[in-house]
Structure formats: C-alpha cells, structure tokens
C-alpha cells in the first residue's frame, strides 16, 4: 500500500510538471507577408515599393527639413535610395518587417512610404513609421494610410499592440497618432544620442481592442 501511494504521488507530480510545461509553453504570432498585402483606403493605394520609386524615396530621405525629427543620416544619391528600397523589400521576403509605397488612387507614383518595424512576434507587437513628401502635407493622407495599416495589423496579421516613437517636438506626427486612437505612454528625456547631442523621445501606443475603423 505504501509503495502504491508513493507511486501515485510520483504520477501526480509528473502530471503537474506536464500541465505546468503546457501552460507555460511560449506562443508566438506567425508572421507571413506573402503574398504581399496591397491595401486600399478612400483615396490611397498602398503597394510594394519598386526600384523605380527611388527618386521619390530620395526626395524624402535627403530633405533636411523632412528629416528634422528622424535620427537617420540623409541619403546622398538615388543609388542609396535604391539600396534602401531593396533592403526594405528583403525584410518583407524574410517576414521580418513590412513597408508600403503610398500612392494616390489615380497615380502609381508614391507620395510617401510607411510600414511596421521592429516586429516582435513573441509579444504580438510592432512599431509603426511613416514619411511623406512635403507637397502632400495637411491633406490627411498620412492619417488615412495609418488607419488602413492598423486595420491590416490588427485584423489580418493579429498584432495585439502597435507602438510609435517620435520626437516630442514633432507635433504633426503626434496629431496623426492621436487621431488614430494612440495614447501617449511615455516620455524619455535625452535617452538617445544622435549627431553629437542627446535627444528625447515620446512613445505612443494602441491596443487592438482600442482600434476602430
């Protein structure tokens, strides 16, 4: 009887270990950007970037005023823009990150590019970023594109949260985020060293449950 009891205890302990292991098994989001997801909104088409988009990418990433709040080096020529496009597309093929070229519906020429970076499948989370040519500011295009991207992120891919990190002085970007339901979650003071100075960052986020079309 004693042996039976000890054996029973061992069985129960092994069952507990099995249950515990099952309960703590890591679940990750499966990321698959194939085939490439073209998106549409009322006025815009979001498509995969092409090599022929290099002139527009160069115009954006070489513009000092446009890059004022982006801690990245200015592009020096269209060759660098082409390399950037190819790098972004390779990350799509690897199901790592995704970027779209943003076009007006009556044109195939991009007015900007936007995407999700620093994708964290284990946290069901990604970071959003967006840039647009200055000529198209103030028309609501960025906000419209962001909404289409969030719908894809939450309702197609299955992300739980999306974050955005911006310069605290970038009021236009903050307006886009707040309009799309983001809330400010943190403000880090001089937490990033760039171009021989310390700069601050503001962090915004939105949960799937808080997103509405």
């Amino acid at each position: 009887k004693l042996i039976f009891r000890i054996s029973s205890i061992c069985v129960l302990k092994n069952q507990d270990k099995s249950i515990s292991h099952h309960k703590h098994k890591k679940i990750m989001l499966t990321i698959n950007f194939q085939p490439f997801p073209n998106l549409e909104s009322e006025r815009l088409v979001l498509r995969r970037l092409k090599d022929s988009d290099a002139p527009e990418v160069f115009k954006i990433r070489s513009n000092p005023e446009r890059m004022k709040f982006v801690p990245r080096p200015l592009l020096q020529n269209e060759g660098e823009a082409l390399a950037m496009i190819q790098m972004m597309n390779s990350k799509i093929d690897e199901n790592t990150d995704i970027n779209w070229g943003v076009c007006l519906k009556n044109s195939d020429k991009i007015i900007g590019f936007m995407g999700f970076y620093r994708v964290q499948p284990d946290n069901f989370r990604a970071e959003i970023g967006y840039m647009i040519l200055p000529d198209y500011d103030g028309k609501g295009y960025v906000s419209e594109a962001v909404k289409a991207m969030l719908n894809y992120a939450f309702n197609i891919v299955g992300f739980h949260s999306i974050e955005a990190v911006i310069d605290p002085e970038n009021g236009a970007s903050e307006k886009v985020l707040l309009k799309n339901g983001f809330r400010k979650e943190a403000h880090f003071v001089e937490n990033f060293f760039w171009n021989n100075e310390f700069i601050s960052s503001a962090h915004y986020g939105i949960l799937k449950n808080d997103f509405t079309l």
Side-chain angles (χ1 to χ4, degrees), residues 35-103:
F36 185 83
N38 293 310
L39 307 179
E40 283 193 25
S41 62
E42 182 181 352
R43 300 176 294 172
L44 305 171
V45 172
L46 282 68
R47 60 159 173 80
R48 185 173 175 129
L49 284 164
K50 302 182 289 190
D51 289 356
S52 57
D53 296 321
E56 284 70 42
V57 171
F58 176 65
K59 286 178 186 176
I60 295 171
R61 288 296 301 264
S62 65
N63 184 327
E65 188 61 28
R66 189 87 318 186
M67 295 292 290
K68 180 179 179 181
F69 299 119
V70 181
R72 296 289 184 274
L74 295 176
L75 296 185
Q76 300 301 310
N77 52 62
E78 287 187 12
E80 291 185 354
L82 177 60
M84 182 178 173
I85 290 170
Q86 293 173 347
M87 178 272 294
M88 289 190 287
N89 281 339
S90 70
K91 289 183 178 293
I92 296 170
D93 295 335
E94 296 163 2
N95 294 313
T96 304
D97 297 334
I98 186 168
N99 276 276
W100 290 269
V102 181
C103 307

